[in-house]
Amino acid sequence: MSDPVPRQMRHQVHAVAAQPPTPPTVRAPLWRRALRMPLLWALLCGVLAVPGYAAGGDAFLPFLLTLAGGWLCGMSFVNATARMSPPRRGAIVHGLGAIAAGLLLAFLAAVVPDLLAPKPNPARAVVAVVQMAAAPAAGWIWLALIGRLTSALRLRATPAVLEGSEWEGAERGSGSVLRFAAVPLTMRALTLWILLVVVVVAGIGVALMIAFDAFVMAAGPRLVIVALGIVLGLPAYLLLSALLRRRTVACTVRFDVDRLQLERAGSTLSVRYADVDRLVWRSDSEYARLEVRGEGVELSLIAGIARVPKGRTPALPPLSRRVRGLLEGAGLSPSPSRNGRVQRFVRDAG
């Protein structure tokens, strides 16, 4: 008896099997997205500072607003270059941006006041805001560039090839256990620490400018960038980095069949995948980290700023295929990031 369905047709039927639907992208609430827009807050700081500069005088609040707005602009640019791929492109853009920021600062300090001097008008207040904001923005860009170049030179001067943490069992395709060093700290707390340092440095800078008012008026905004970026900013950055690295702890994360287990500082935390609402894993840069949030758990370990032995790098390896499968099998959907360098898994609402 002949086969009613030709063999070739049966192969074609298998070839057109239905594909699983693509999980929808989960968007954060508008207020949470607004918190992650530094340029929006920088613009708000500038708008609020204009009336103070238009009224004249040496009010502290408008000055502080311009410093905060300039720092937010510089931080936004530095973070944008850090997200670029490949990293060499980000480094080139960072260097060109630093040169452009220095030229803009010199132009604002030397040329613009002479153009506006014959006709006093409200535009002078806007220019004053831009002038004062350009100083911390350029200072932060140059400070980050110095750190970037220092890190690159240190890596090049290391004779041995740097080694990072690797998944145990990766050669067998499992890749479910990882030992690494990290600092127990949330990204929100890290941002607040940085903001606190900026405010303290700005306060010290204001005190110095008040104490040496005659010299500051003669030197102009150039003194601000030198004082905040080099004399005050660099030591503050190094001090903050040292304080954070002192909190480094050894961690071991294990992705079992139904739960995540973390060992650190002699304690063990076990979280079922069913109780996880959001998991973030970043492998590179100083923001390399593991974040787990869910029912009764809020965990954040930043590996990128941790102290590691000489010859090693704090970078984390990407999540293995097995781990991604375990998370997706527990109902966590991958949520792609804008640059593709962050692996994020979120649980669909409902």
Side-chain angles (χ1 to χ4, degrees), residues 297-340:
V297 60
E298 184 170 356
L299 170 70
S300 180
L301 299 172
I302 304 180
I305 61 176
R307 180 188 291 117
V308 295
K310 186 177 181 180
R312 297 188 64 86
T313 173
L316 300 176
L319 290 176
S320 66
R321 182 182 301 178
R322 175 181 180 273
V323 172
R324 296 197 304 268
L326 290 173
L327 297 175
E328 294 181 29
L332 293 167
S333 303
S335 177
S337 62
R338 289 179 297 177
N339 53 20

Side-chain angles (χ1 to χ4, degrees), residues 89-146:
R89 179 185 303 173
I92 294 175
V93 174
H94 193 166
L96 294 177
I99 296 174
L103 294 176
L104 175 63
L105 187 65
F107 175 78
L108 291 173
V111 179
V112 173
D114 294 336
L115 295 177
L116 296 179
K119 297 180 180 180
N121 53 67
R124 292 181 62 89
V126 177
V127 173
V129 169
V130 176
Q131 279 182 322
M132 298 307 299
W140 187 262
I141 293 173
W142 276 97
L143 184 63
L145 182 62
I146 292 173

Side-chain angles (χ1 to χ4, degrees), residues 166-168 175-180 250-256 259-264 269 273 279 281 290 292 299 301 316 319 323:
E166 295 292 342
W167 292 105
E168 295 183 10
S176 58
V177 179
L178 182 70
R179 307 178 192 277
F180 63 99
C251 305
T252 300
V253 61
R254 181 189 305 273
F255 289 90
D256 289 333
R259 68 188 62 236
L260 176 151
Q261 296 193 50
L262 177 72
E263 299 177 8
R264 60 167 182 172
L269 175 66
Y273 300 138
L279 185 144
W281 185 277
L290 165 64
V292 180
L299 170 70
L301 299 172
L316 300 176
L319 290 176
V323 172

Side-chain angles (χ1 to χ4, degrees), residues 225-242:
I225 187 174
V226 172
L228 296 180
I230 300 178
V231 178
L232 299 177
L234 185 57
Y237 170 79
L238 296 176
L239 178 60
L240 177 61
S241 299

Side-chain angles (χ1 to χ4, degrees), residues 49-91:
V50 168
Y53 280 94
D58 300 323
F60 174 74
L61 182 58
F63 177 74
L64 186 60
L65 287 172
T66 53
L67 291 182
W71 170 72
L72 288 170
C73 291
M75 182 190 67
S76 179
F77 175 80
V78 171
N79 291 344
T81 60
R83 292 192 296 264
M84 291 182 179
S85 182
R88 179 177 297 181
R89 179 185 303 173

Side-chain angles (χ1 to χ4, degrees), residues 31-54:
W31 66 270
R32 182 172 295 179
R33 297 201 303 270
L35 291 177
R36 302 174 182 174
M37 298 178 182
L39 292 180
L40 175 63
W41 294 101
L43 178 61
L44 180 62
C45 289
V47 172
L48 294 177
V50 168
Y53 280 94

Side-chain angles (χ1 to χ4, degrees), residues 120-204:
N121 53 67
R124 292 181 62 89
V126 177
V127 173
V129 169
V130 176
Q131 279 182 322
M132 298 307 299
W140 187 262
I141 293 173
W142 276 97
L143 184 63
L145 182 62
I146 292 173
R148 198 167 192 164
L149 294 177
T150 303
S151 178
L153 292 175
R154 185 173 63 251
L155 297 182
R156 180 172 295 184
T158 304
V161 178
L162 289 178
E163 297 180 355
S165 302
E166 295 292 342
W167 292 105
E168 295 183 10
E171 68 279 358
R172 299 188 299 273
S174 59
S176 58
V177 179
L178 182 70
R179 307 178 192 277
F180 63 99
V183 176
L185 189 71
T186 63
M187 289 299 298
R188 183 184 307 171
L190 178 61
T191 303
L192 291 177
W193 272 109
I194 295 175
L195 182 59
L196 177 62
V197 170
V198 172
V199 172
V200 171
V201 169
I204 297 176

